[in-house]
Amino acid sequence: MAQWKASVARQPPMTKAELREMLTNAVRNTQPGADQKQKRSPKVENDQS
C-alpha cells in the first residue's frame, strides 16, 4: 500500500477574528448582487391608516 505524505506544512490555527473575517468574505462573495441591493434600496412608504 502506498503511503500518503503531506507536501505542505500545516498552518498554525487561526484566531476567531480571522475565521469570522474569512466567513464574512466567503458569504459576501457567494451572494451575487448583494452590494448592489444595498446601494439601490428604494424607500418604502408606510401606508398605515
Side-chain angles (χ1 to χ4, degrees):
M1 180 182 252
Q3 291 185 357
W4 180 79
K5 186 176 181 182
S7 60
V8 179
R10 186 172 181 179
Q11 296 179 352
M14 300 177 86
T15 64
K16 287 185 179 182
E18 290 173 328
L19 292 171
R20 190 173 292 121
E21 183 179 354
M22 185 184 239
L23 178 62
T24 302
N25 290 334
V27 171
R28 186 178 298 134
N29 291 333
T30 56
Q31 293 180 347
D35 294 333
Q36 293 173 356
K37 289 181 183 178
Q38 292 175 355
K39 292 179 183 176
R40 297 186 302 140
S41 61
K43 291 185 179 179
V44 178
E45 295 180 16
N46 291 332
D47 293 331
Q48 295 177 355
S49 300

